[in-house]
Amino acid sequence: MNKKRLASVATSLVISSSALGAELSLLSNLEIEGDARVRGISTSGITSNSDKAKETYDSRIRINLNTTTDSGVKIHSRVVLDNDTWGKTSDKNVEWDEASVLVPLKDFFVYAGRVNDTYGTPFYGSHNDKIDLAFIGYTGIENTLLYGFDYKAVEGAYNSSNGQLGSSTGDGDYDAYGLGGQITIDKLLLGGRYVSLQDNRSDDGGKTFRDTKGFFVDAFASGEIVGLELQAQVQQNGGDKYSGGKKVDLEALGMYLNVAKQFDRLKIGAIAISTEDGYVAGGDLEASYLTSPTNGAIATLGRVGGYGDTVLLSGQVKYDINPELLIEATIASHSIKKATLNSLNKDLEITEYNLGLQYKIAKDVTYKIQYAAASFDQGNLDDIQNAMHSINIKF
């Protein structure tokens, strides 16, 4: 990705008074990078929102602004300009998507701002939503990171006009507090954490609040071992959650395993996901084209586990025909208990086939076309067909 350094643009200014006036000093440079995408999507069959057919074009531009000051402080922000559906004037958005700072403090660092909801890893528990995070890390031990954090997904005000937190516009709040650590051994990262969850959101405009408390503990691994690329995570949830207007026990369990091997221009991989009373999502979960909006066009089936306890197995093959052309194929099997898809409420088996091509038109321009099909073991459900093609540009 090309980066444009704008040495003439200051992100920090120091103004000092003198007998001759004010003096401006440049403390850092600004880096601008981003990507643009235009794509067309065609979907037919039974999907998570029961759409029989959908054909649309959309476009998106993301602009990243990054800088490092002379004292080592890193500042990042990202602006997203979405035109989600061409021809639908209300379906567009300009959003200040991310904004964060990282401040080094000898053996510590502080990281704070609006970031992706990844809880520190891109696997189980990653919803790709935005949260506000305050994170402090300790790096005084070689190859080790110890950390604590507080994130807030929803912040509300008191439901009154007493002036303490402003006018009544909030609907409760959602907080999480965590402790964790990770260690790097050779090319493998191993880690774990404990997170306490507090959900005080309101579903009736602030008259009553959920007041539920939960937690999760997990362990994860990422990197390379015995020549294999590895990503793995196990997460156990407990405590309370809010469902159907009341508190119920939370006992969700999620497991994720992704292994791959590179053979010259050929890469072979396998992914296994299991969920109980929960779901999995995230940009790095490419087990299924129909459940990953990042890997595919849209999450046609929705988040893994969001429609019933799920076991998802997939095998993947990628082959670089030449430096410009990549072909990839995936076969996936979904086994779902009491599937809620299309109000089915029965056990459901789905077999999914994916085929894709990527062609590098120029150094920073890629054309991608992908086709996915899913067949159900229930005769009253229409099989899914999903086709997407897109132009992607990095700058």
mmCIF file of all heavy atoms in Angstrom, residues 17-51:
data_model
loop_
_atom_site.group_PDB
_atom_site.id
_atom_site.type_symbol
_atom_site.label_atom_id
_atom_site.label_comp_id
_atom_site.label_asym_id
_atom_site.label_seq_id
_atom_site.Cartn_x
_atom_site.Cartn_y
_atom_site.Cartn_z
ATOM 1 N N SER A 17 5.394 32.632 22.335
ATOM 2 C CA SER A 17 5.386 34.079 22.194
ATOM 3 C C SER A 17 6.800 34.627 22.248
ATOM 4 O O SER A 17 7.667 34.115 22.937
ATOM 5 C CB SER A 17 4.549 34.714 23.308
ATOM 6 O OG SER A 17 3.218 34.259 23.225
ATOM 7 N N SER A 18 7.046 35.672 21.496
ATOM 8 C CA SER A 18 8.327 36.365 21.539
ATOM 9 C C SER A 18 8.081 37.815 21.172
ATOM 10 O O SER A 18 6.993 38.202 20.767
ATOM 11 C CB SER A 18 9.332 35.737 20.568
ATOM 12 O OG SER A 18 8.941 35.980 19.231
ATOM 13 N N ALA A 19 9.125 38.592 21.310
ATOM 14 C CA ALA A 19 8.988 40.009 20.983
ATOM 15 C C ALA A 19 8.674 40.203 19.512
ATOM 16 O O ALA A 19 8.096 41.211 19.112
ATOM 17 C CB ALA A 19 10.275 40.748 21.349
ATOM 18 N N LEU A 20 9.049 39.210 18.678
ATOM 19 C CA LEU A 20 8.828 39.333 17.241
ATOM 20 C C LEU A 20 7.518 38.704 16.800
ATOM 21 O O LEU A 20 7.159 38.789 15.632
ATOM 22 C CB LEU A 20 9.998 38.687 16.482
ATOM 23 C CG LEU A 20 11.370 39.308 16.725
ATOM 24 C CD1 LEU A 20 12.431 38.537 15.961
ATOM 25 C CD2 LEU A 20 11.378 40.774 16.316
ATOM 26 N N GLY A 21 6.777 38.009 17.714
ATOM 27 C CA GLY A 21 5.507 37.408 17.340
ATOM 28 C C GLY A 21 5.469 35.938 17.709
ATOM 29 O O GLY A 21 6.126 35.503 18.651
ATOM 30 N N ALA A 22 4.726 35.154 16.929
ATOM 31 C CA ALA A 22 4.538 33.728 17.207
ATOM 32 C C ALA A 22 5.409 32.896 16.297
ATOM 33 O O ALA A 22 5.647 33.225 15.145
ATOM 34 C CB ALA A 22 3.076 33.342 17.027
ATOM 35 N N GLU A 23 5.890 31.763 16.832
ATOM 36 C CA GLU A 23 6.715 30.826 16.072
ATOM 37 C C GLU A 23 6.013 29.476 16.029
ATOM 38 O O GLU A 23 5.565 28.966 17.049
ATOM 39 C CB GLU A 23 8.079 30.672 16.739
ATOM 40 C CG GLU A 23 8.990 29.658 16.039
ATOM 41 C CD GLU A 23 10.274 29.446 16.806
ATOM 42 O OE1 GLU A 23 10.499 30.163 17.796
ATOM 43 O OE2 GLU A 23 11.028 28.542 16.424
ATOM 44 N N LEU A 24 5.908 28.905 14.831
ATOM 45 C CA LEU A 24 5.271 27.605 14.663
ATOM 46 C C LEU A 24 6.337 26.552 14.424
ATOM 47 O O LEU A 24 7.207 26.732 13.588
ATOM 48 C CB LEU A 24 4.300 27.638 13.484
ATOM 49 C CG LEU A 24 3.171 28.668 13.561
ATOM 50 C CD1 LEU A 24 2.273 28.526 12.319
ATOM 51 C CD2 LEU A 24 2.355 28.504 14.819
ATOM 52 N N SER A 25 6.255 25.415 15.153
ATOM 53 C CA SER A 25 7.219 24.332 15.000
ATOM 54 C C SER A 25 6.495 23.058 14.598
ATOM 55 O O SER A 25 5.520 22.666 15.240
ATOM 56 C CB SER A 25 7.974 24.093 16.319
ATOM 57 O OG SER A 25 8.658 25.258 16.708
ATOM 58 N N LEU A 26 6.976 22.398 13.527
ATOM 59 C CA LEU A 26 6.396 21.134 13.096
ATOM 60 C C LEU A 26 6.949 20.014 13.960
ATOM 61 O O LEU A 26 8.149 19.850 14.089
ATOM 62 C CB LEU A 26 6.733 20.871 11.623
ATOM 63 C CG LEU A 26 6.312 21.960 10.631
ATOM 64 C CD1 LEU A 26 6.656 21.509 9.210
ATOM 65 C CD2 LEU A 26 4.831 22.244 10.739
ATOM 66 N N LEU A 27 6.071 19.204 14.544
ATOM 67 C CA LEU A 27 6.510 18.121 15.409
ATOM 68 C C LEU A 27 6.388 16.759 14.746
ATOM 69 O O LEU A 27 6.986 15.803 15.217
ATOM 70 C CB LEU A 27 5.700 18.130 16.715
ATOM 71 C CG LEU A 27 5.852 19.363 17.596
ATOM 72 C CD1 LEU A 27 5.088 19.161 18.893
ATOM 73 C CD2 LEU A 27 7.312 19.652 17.885
ATOM 74 N N SER A 28 5.590 16.623 13.691
ATOM 75 C CA SER A 28 5.430 15.304 13.087
ATOM 76 C C SER A 28 4.878 15.438 11.678
ATOM 77 O O SER A 28 4.399 16.490 11.275
ATOM 78 C CB SER A 28 4.496 14.428 13.928
ATOM 79 O OG SER A 28 3.214 15.016 13.973
ATOM 80 N N ASN A 29 4.969 14.321 10.935
ATOM 81 C CA ASN A 29 4.431 14.255 9.594
ATOM 82 C C ASN A 29 3.122 13.482 9.606
ATOM 83 O O ASN A 29 2.840 12.715 10.515
ATOM 84 C CB ASN A 29 5.414 13.565 8.646
ATOM 85 C CG ASN A 29 6.704 14.363 8.505
ATOM 86 O OD1 ASN A 29 6.682 15.580 8.574
ATOM 87 N ND2 ASN A 29 7.823 13.669 8.343
ATOM 88 N N LEU A 30 2.351 13.650 8.560
ATOM 89 C CA LEU A 30 1.076 12.971 8.426
ATOM 90 C C LEU A 30 1.142 11.982 7.277
ATOM 91 O O LEU A 30 1.624 12.299 6.189
ATOM 92 C CB LEU A 30 -0.040 13.993 8.165
ATOM 93 C CG LEU A 30 -1.453 13.440 7.949
ATOM 94 C CD1 LEU A 30 -1.966 12.803 9.236
ATOM 95 C CD2 LEU A 30 -2.392 14.555 7.493
ATOM 96 N N GLU A 31 0.683 10.764 7.521
ATOM 97 C CA GLU A 31 0.595 9.740 6.489
ATOM 98 C C GLU A 31 -0.866 9.503 6.136
ATOM 99 O O GLU A 31 -1.703 9.330 7.022
ATOM 100 C CB GLU A 31 1.227 8.426 6.963
ATOM 101 C CG GLU A 31 2.718 8.528 7.256
ATOM 102 C CD GLU A 31 3.301 7.216 7.746
ATOM 103 O OE1 GLU A 31 2.499 6.265 7.923
ATOM 104 O OE2 GLU A 31 4.511 7.143 7.957
ATOM 105 N N ILE A 32 -1.143 9.496 4.861
ATOM 106 C CA ILE A 32 -2.504 9.250 4.384
ATOM 107 C C ILE A 32 -2.501 7.991 3.532
ATOM 108 O O ILE A 32 -1.678 7.847 2.626
ATOM 109 C CB ILE A 32 -3.039 10.436 3.554
ATOM 110 C CG1 ILE A 32 -3.031 11.712 4.394
ATOM 111 C CG2 ILE A 32 -4.461 10.150 3.056
ATOM 112 C CD1 ILE A 32 -3.496 12.937 3.634
ATOM 113 N N GLU A 33 -3.402 7.075 3.829
ATOM 114 C CA GLU A 33 -3.563 5.873 3.030
ATOM 115 C C GLU A 33 -5.028 5.469 3.084
ATOM 116 O O GLU A 33 -5.791 5.960 3.927
ATOM 117 C CB GLU A 33 -2.682 4.738 3.550
ATOM 118 C CG GLU A 33 -3.024 4.318 4.973
ATOM 119 C CD GLU A 33 -2.107 3.240 5.531
ATOM 120 O OE1 GLU A 33 -1.006 3.084 4.999
ATOM 121 O OE2 GLU A 33 -2.522 2.568 6.486
ATOM 122 N N GLY A 34 -5.415 4.588 2.196
ATOM 123 C CA GLY A 34 -6.802 4.183 2.211
ATOM 124 C C GLY A 34 -7.123 3.177 1.131
ATOM 125 O O GLY A 34 -6.224 2.616 0.484
ATOM 126 N N ASP A 35 -8.411 2.935 0.945
ATOM 127 C CA ASP A 35 -8.855 2.008 -0.083
ATOM 128 C C ASP A 35 -10.234 2.432 -0.570
ATOM 129 O O ASP A 35 -10.986 3.102 0.147
ATOM 130 C CB ASP A 35 -8.881 0.566 0.432
ATOM 131 C CG ASP A 35 -9.818 0.383 1.614
ATOM 132 O OD1 ASP A 35 -11.020 0.190 1.368
ATOM 133 O OD2 ASP A 35 -9.352 0.434 2.761
ATOM 134 N N ALA A 36 -10.533 2.031 -1.782
ATOM 135 C CA ALA A 36 -11.832 2.305 -2.388
ATOM 136 C C ALA A 36 -12.353 1.019 -3.016
ATOM 137 O O ALA A 36 -11.564 0.194 -3.506
ATOM 138 C CB ALA A 36 -11.719 3.407 -3.433
ATOM 139 N N ARG A 37 -13.669 0.857 -2.989
ATOM 140 C CA ARG A 37 -14.264 -0.356 -3.537
ATOM 141 C C ARG A 37 -15.603 -0.024 -4.193
ATOM 142 O O ARG A 37 -16.403 0.732 -3.640
ATOM 143 C CB ARG A 37 -14.507 -1.371 -2.425
ATOM 144 C CG ARG A 37 -15.132 -2.696 -2.895
ATOM 145 C CD ARG A 37 -15.630 -3.514 -1.728
ATOM 146 N NE ARG A 37 -16.767 -2.868 -1.061
ATOM 147 C CZ ARG A 37 -17.170 -3.138 0.163
ATOM 148 N NH1 ARG A 37 -16.506 -4.019 0.889
ATOM 149 N NH2 ARG A 37 -18.216 -2.519 0.703
ATOM 150 N N VAL A 38 -15.816 -0.617 -5.357
ATOM 151 C CA VAL A 38 -17.126 -0.611 -5.998
ATOM 152 C C VAL A 38 -17.467 -2.068 -6.296
ATOM 153 O O VAL A 38 -16.645 -2.790 -6.865
ATOM 154 C CB VAL A 38 -17.128 0.202 -7.306
ATOM 155 C CG1 VAL A 38 -18.493 0.121 -7.980
ATOM 156 C CG2 VAL A 38 -16.760 1.653 -7.028
ATOM 157 N N ARG A 39 -18.677 -2.522 -5.916
ATOM 158 C CA ARG A 39 -19.001 -3.928 -6.111
ATOM 159 C C ARG A 39 -20.473 -4.108 -6.477
ATOM 160 O O ARG A 39 -21.326 -3.278 -6.145
ATOM 161 C CB ARG A 39 -18.688 -4.744 -4.863
ATOM 162 C CG ARG A 39 -19.564 -4.417 -3.675
ATOM 163 C CD ARG A 39 -19.206 -5.234 -2.446
ATOM 164 N NE ARG A 39 -20.052 -4.879 -1.304
ATOM 165 C CZ ARG A 39 -19.954 -5.421 -0.106
ATOM 166 N NH1 ARG A 39 -19.029 -6.341 0.133
ATOM 167 N NH2 ARG A 39 -20.752 -5.054 0.878
ATOM 168 N N GLY A 40 -20.728 -5.200 -7.137
ATOM 169 C CA GLY A 40 -22.082 -5.604 -7.445
ATOM 170 C C GLY A 40 -22.392 -6.927 -6.773
ATOM 171 O O GLY A 40 -21.535 -7.810 -6.691
ATOM 172 N N ILE A 41 -23.620 -7.062 -6.256
ATOM 173 C CA ILE A 41 -24.018 -8.247 -5.498
ATOM 174 C C ILE A 41 -25.341 -8.776 -6.044
ATOM 175 O O ILE A 41 -26.263 -8.006 -6.302
ATOM 176 C CB ILE A 41 -24.203 -7.912 -4.006
ATOM 177 C CG1 ILE A 41 -22.949 -7.260 -3.420
ATOM 178 C CG2 ILE A 41 -24.575 -9.157 -3.209
ATOM 179 C CD1 ILE A 41 -23.176 -6.648 -2.051
ATOM 180 N N SER A 42 -25.404 -10.080 -6.208
ATOM 181 C CA SER A 42 -26.649 -10.733 -6.607
ATOM 182 C C SER A 42 -26.879 -11.927 -5.706
ATOM 183 O O SER A 42 -26.007 -12.790 -5.590
ATOM 184 C CB SER A 42 -26.583 -11.179 -8.067
ATOM 185 O OG SER A 42 -27.756 -11.889 -8.427
ATOM 186 N N THR A 43 -28.026 -11.974 -5.023
ATOM 187 C CA THR A 43 -28.341 -13.049 -4.093
ATOM 188 C C THR A 43 -29.750 -13.570 -4.362
ATOM 189 O O THR A 43 -30.670 -12.787 -4.591
ATOM 190 C CB THR A 43 -28.266 -12.558 -2.636
ATOM 191 O OG1 THR A 43 -26.937 -12.121 -2.363
ATOM 192 C CG2 THR A 43 -28.614 -13.665 -1.666
ATOM 193 N N SER A 44 -29.909 -14.870 -4.305
ATOM 194 C CA SER A 44 -31.241 -15.470 -4.408
ATOM 195 C C SER A 44 -31.332 -16.644 -3.449
ATOM 196 O O SER A 44 -30.322 -17.233 -3.071
ATOM 197 C CB SER A 44 -31.512 -15.944 -5.845
ATOM 198 O OG SER A 44 -30.603 -16.962 -6.214
ATOM 199 N N GLY A 45 -32.559 -16.976 -3.040
ATOM 200 C CA GLY A 45 -32.768 -18.070 -2.106
ATOM 201 C C GLY A 45 -33.116 -17.576 -0.723
ATOM 202 O O GLY A 45 -33.256 -16.384 -0.472
ATOM 203 N N ILE A 46 -33.252 -18.507 0.227
ATOM 204 C CA ILE A 46 -33.594 -18.168 1.600
ATOM 205 C C ILE A 46 -32.334 -17.693 2.325
ATOM 206 O O ILE A 46 -31.325 -18.397 2.384
ATOM 207 C CB ILE A 46 -34.174 -19.383 2.328
ATOM 208 C CG1 ILE A 46 -35.517 -19.758 1.693
ATOM 209 C CG2 ILE A 46 -34.358 -19.087 3.809
ATOM 210 C CD1 ILE A 46 -36.590 -18.705 1.861
ATOM 211 N N THR A 47 -32.376 -16.494 2.895
ATOM 212 C CA THR A 47 -31.237 -15.939 3.614
ATOM 213 C C THR A 47 -31.682 -15.601 5.034
ATOM 214 O O THR A 47 -32.813 -15.853 5.427
ATOM 215 C CB THR A 47 -30.711 -14.673 2.911
ATOM 216 O OG1 THR A 47 -31.710 -13.643 3.026
ATOM 217 C CG2 THR A 47 -30.438 -14.941 1.451
ATOM 218 N N SER A 48 -30.766 -15.003 5.800
ATOM 219 C CA SER A 48 -31.057 -14.718 7.202
ATOM 220 C C SER A 48 -32.214 -13.750 7.372
ATOM 221 O O SER A 48 -32.895 -13.753 8.392
ATOM 222 C CB SER A 48 -29.804 -14.164 7.893
ATOM 223 O OG SER A 48 -29.371 -12.986 7.240
ATOM 224 N N ASN A 49 -32.431 -12.871 6.396
ATOM 225 C CA ASN A 49 -33.561 -11.948 6.494
ATOM 226 C C ASN A 49 -34.665 -12.308 5.509
ATOM 227 O O ASN A 49 -35.521 -11.486 5.176
ATOM 228 C CB ASN A 49 -33.099 -10.506 6.264
ATOM 229 C CG ASN A 49 -32.390 -10.344 4.925
ATOM 230 O OD1 ASN A 49 -32.320 -11.283 4.143
ATOM 231 N ND2 ASN A 49 -31.868 -9.167 4.668
ATOM 232 N N SER A 50 -34.651 -13.553 5.015
ATOM 233 C CA SER A 50 -35.709 -14.121 4.182
ATOM 234 C C SER A 50 -35.878 -13.418 2.827
ATOM 235 O O SER A 50 -36.916 -13.557 2.199
ATOM 236 C CB SER A 50 -37.059 -14.115 4.933
ATOM 237 O OG SER A 50 -36.949 -14.896 6.104
ATOM 238 N N ASP A 51 -34.884 -12.667 2.390
ATOM 239 C CA ASP A 51 -34.968 -12.064 1.059
ATOM 240 C C ASP A 51 -34.910 -13.156 0.000
ATOM 241 O O ASP A 51 -34.030 -14.013 0.015
ATOM 242 C CB ASP A 51 -33.814 -11.084 0.834
ATOM 243 C CG ASP A 51 -34.001 -9.794 1.612
ATOM 244 O OD1 ASP A 51 -35.146 -9.527 2.009
ATOM 245 O OD2 ASP A 51 -33.019 -9.073 1.806
#
